[in-house]
Amino acid sequence: MTRDDAIRPLRTIRPPPEPWEHGEVNDKVQTNKARTTRPSTQEFKDFMGEHWAPHEDVEVTRIAAAPYAAERRARLSARFPGERIVVPAGTLKTRANDTDYRFRPSSDFTYLTGLGIDREPGAILVFEPREGEGHDVTLYLIPPAQPGDEGFYSDPAAGEFWIGRRPGLAEFAAMTGIETRALADLPKGVRTANQPSKKARVALSEMRFVKDEYEIQQLRDAVDATIAGFERVVPELPRAIGHKRGERVIEATFDGHAREEGNGVGYETIAASGPHATTLHWISNTGQVRAGDLLLLDAGVEVESLYTADITRTLPVDGTFTATQRRVYEIVLEAADAAFAIVRPGIRFLDVHLAAMEVIEQRLTEWGIAPAQEDPESKLYRRWMVHGTCHHLGLDVHDCAEAKRDLYLEGVLEPGMVFTIEPGLYFQEGDLAAPAELRGIGIRIEDDVLVTEDGAENLSAALPREVDAIEQWMARLRRA
């Protein structure tokens, strides 16, 4: 997934709902009363509240992320002595009328609680400063409706009949190690806060630069699942060629794999064939896939802990690069290798980008593509590589996005950082400044890199990168 040189702001979190008591019916129910044929007699309500067996699947095991999340909370607490910190999970987002998108909690909430997939709409994590030092941390949640509450069977947003069983407050306390209370008990002074303060968001972004042991394993799992997804795509290329929207065949293959193996995709899959590969964020995926063209596939599986991979490969649709495609590809690969070669603790994050750009500039100049320039700072070669080479990776595909520039682009690499290396070259169809034979060619190579104590590890190295290796890999998968 490409990243502009400028750091993007995080999406605004929608305000949490007002607290509600057991038995109160969700607004969506009231909105759609015209469609309700359910009996409303007291006899029916009484009958619906009786004769239910107790649940046997009670959550009592501490989740694997819990001790790591506790350490993160302690670090955040130390940065804000005497200040209240409020971190909402977010709320359900309406798709249309009374239907919602699948819920994904805010990344900061997940980072501080360890709660991932589907948990927990409306929840709010509150750090309340103690008189001495530190904070008392409480997780406020909407308790599940119980048999006897009308919402148990009538509330499509929270009723067990509609969305299945939800853990109770004691279960969430057992899973996370955090004190839990009903959302109705949220102090009045906290109700107006619908997202962390700007200072807290910046601090959390900066804390997330260096991944702990748990996070690194989650990213390894996400990368492995993503590589398996690429392997499922290649045998589908013949079917994609024969389909009127072959890019959708590629997208559906990878996205289906992501749902099977994780929570889903970590971002909208880019399945760009032919000239579409020159559009950096081509997510419409409505085009045909033609033999002789290149397919740029930029995709990542988000695992259930919500950590995501982000990998790009540019593949020859019919399994073999042309001479021109090969030449462009090898420039991009050389740039990526130059960036990998300098990664080690102590260098600037920005230097990784500059190492790749040095290769791009030199090779385009030698080829006669990059024009002479009066001012070296004009960097005219960037016409064909307008995005940045690296972005941090983690709970968000563009992780740590609210960190200060001097700690992001100008920051120094440390062991435990995970980011992408993704140079590319993009020659638009209508680009008259590019040689005719290059127009319509877009190539990006993207890998996920972990900074180690003495260098770097390419987490996605199992997915072929070199031209010959890609052709052999594709041939093997098509024979399987």
Side-chain angles (χ1 to χ4, degrees), residues 275-463:
H276 288 163
T278 65
T279 300
L280 301 181
H281 285 171
W282 175 259
I283 60 173
S284 298
N285 301 335
T286 54
Q288 292 183 298
V289 174
R290 296 182 174 90
D293 281 346
L294 296 174
L295 171 72
L296 189 157
L297 179 58
D298 185 335
V301 172
E302 178 183 82
V303 292
E304 294 192 358
S305 61
L306 305 185
Y307 287 82
T308 184
D310 182 7
I311 299 174
T312 307
R313 289 293 184 267
T314 306
L315 310 174
V317 170
D318 55 9
T320 305
F321 289 90
T322 67
T324 300
Q325 292 167 350
R326 177 185 286 258
R327 185 174 182 184
V328 177
Y329 187 97
E330 288 183 339
I331 291 174
V332 177
L333 180 63
E334 183 183 355
D337 288 345
F340 266 108
I342 72 162
V343 176
R344 64 184 182 279
I347 71 163
R348 291 187 310 164
F349 184 72
L350 181 60
D351 289 337
V352 184
H353 167 74
L354 296 177
M357 290 302 93
E358 183 177 351
V359 172
I360 296 289
E361 179 179 22
Q362 181 179 350
R363 296 297 176 238
L364 292 186
T365 300
E366 292 171 351
W367 199 341
I369 298 171
Q373 55 192 36
E374 296 180 6
D375 183 355
E377 292 303 312
S378 297
K379 304 183 187 303
L380 301 183
Y381 66 93
R382 291 296 301 273
R383 177 185 180 107
W384 299 285
M385 167 60 179
V386 298
H387 61 80
T389 305
C390 308
H391 63 79
H392 283 270
L393 186 65
L395 281 166
D396 296 330
V397 65
H398 293 158
D399 212 29
C400 312
E402 293 215 27
K404 301 184 189 74
R405 179 186 172 90
D406 61 346
L407 292 178
Y408 199 117
L409 291 176
E410 302 287 345
V412 174
L413 297 189
E414 299 179 44
M417 287 183 170
V418 178
F419 55 85
T420 66
I421 292 179
E422 52 174 314
L425 283 172
Y426 313 91
F427 300 97
Q428 299 276 338
E429 275 191 302
D431 186 355
L432 302 183
E437 68 272 19
L438 299 184
R439 295 171 197 164
I441 292 178
I443 294 174
R444 180 162 65 250
I445 306 168
E446 179 179 22
D447 287 285
D448 301 340
V449 58
L450 166 67
V451 182
T452 63
E453 293 293 336
D454 56 1
E457 177 187 350
N458 182 357
L459 299 178
S460 46
L463 194 60

Side-chain angles (χ1 to χ4, degrees), residues 59-352:
E59 300 275 4
V60 295
T61 303
R62 191 67 49 91
I63 58 177
Y68 300 94
E71 192 274 336
R72 299 165 197 161
R73 293 193 299 274
R75 284 194 287 138
L76 184 64
S77 172
R79 294 180 73 147
F80 293 93
E83 296 186 43
R84 175 188 286 156
I85 308 167
V86 180
V87 184
T91 59
L92 290 166
K93 299 181 70 175
T94 301
R95 181 183 177 110
N97 295 326
D98 60 342
T99 60
D100 298 312
Y101 289 100
R102 290 189 182 98
F103 180 72
R104 185 192 190 280
S106 78
S107 296
D108 286 336
F109 179 86
T110 293
Y111 184 70
L112 293 170
T113 64
L115 295 172
I117 180 172
D118 294 336
R119 289 175 170 165
E120 177 64 17
I124 301 177
L125 186 70
V126 178
F127 292 66
E128 196 67 40
R130 301 191 191 109
E131 287 189 11
E133 62 178 21
H135 291 78
D136 292 317
V137 182
T138 306
L139 180 58
Y140 291 89
L141 301 148
I142 300 172
Q146 301 295 323
D149 299 327
E150 187 176 352
F152 180 68
Y153 60 86
S154 66
D155 189 343
E160 188 168 320
F161 267 63
W162 297 84
I163 63 170
R165 194 182 88 78
R166 293 170 49 237
L169 301 186
E171 291 174 274
F172 274 112
M175 288 189 288
T176 64
I178 306 172
E179 180 184 352
T180 58
R181 293 182 187 173
L183 189 59
D185 296 332
L186 188 71
K188 290 183 178 180
V190 179
R191 294 180 188 179
T192 57
N194 57 46
Q195 62 179 349
S197 68
K198 175 66 175 177
K199 288 193 303 180
R201 297 199 308 273
V202 170
L204 284 163
S205 270
E206 293 169 358
M207 285 170 57
R208 284 163 54 185
F209 275 135
V210 177
K211 271 56 182 179
D212 57 39
E213 180 183 24
Y214 173 83
E215 293 180 288
I216 291 170
Q217 185 57 56
Q218 296 306 303
L219 287 164
R220 288 187 187 278
D221 293 345
V223 167
D224 290 347
T226 300
I227 291 172
F230 275 74
E231 291 173 342
R232 288 181 66 168
V233 162
V234 173
E236 294 297 315
L237 284 171
R239 186 166 74 89
I241 292 172
H243 198 283
K244 64 181 179 181
R245 292 200 295 183
E247 291 174 343
R248 291 282 176 91
V249 173
I250 303 305
E251 176 190 355
T253 299
F254 185 88
D255 289 13
H257 167 81
R259 266 312 266 174
E260 291 174 18
E261 300 300 324
N263 181 44
V265 292
Y267 53 93
E268 296 295 330
T269 296
I270 298 171
S273 183
H276 288 163
T278 65
T279 300
L280 301 181
H281 285 171
W282 175 259
I283 60 173
S284 298
N285 301 335
T286 54
Q288 292 183 298
V289 174
R290 296 182 174 90
D293 281 346
L294 296 174
L295 171 72
L296 189 157
L297 179 58
D298 185 335
V301 172
E302 178 183 82
V303 292
E304 294 192 358
S305 61
L306 305 185
Y307 287 82
T308 184
D310 182 7
I311 299 174
T312 307
R313 289 293 184 267
T314 306
L315 310 174
V317 170
D318 55 9
T320 305
F321 289 90
T322 67
T324 300
Q325 292 167 350
R326 177 185 286 258
R327 185 174 182 184
V328 177
Y329 187 97
E330 288 183 339
I331 291 174
V332 177
L333 180 63
E334 183 183 355
D337 288 345
F340 266 108
I342 72 162
V343 176
R344 64 184 182 279
I347 71 163
R348 291 187 310 164
F349 184 72
L350 181 60
D351 289 337
V352 184

Side-chain angles (χ1 to χ4, degrees), residues 44-63:
F44 176 80
K45 294 178 181 179
D46 291 344
F47 183 64
M48 290 298 290
E50 299 171 345
H51 312 300
W52 297 105
H55 290 296
E56 297 181 355
D57 57 338
V58 177
E59 300 275 4
V60 295
T61 303
R62 191 67 49 91
I63 58 177

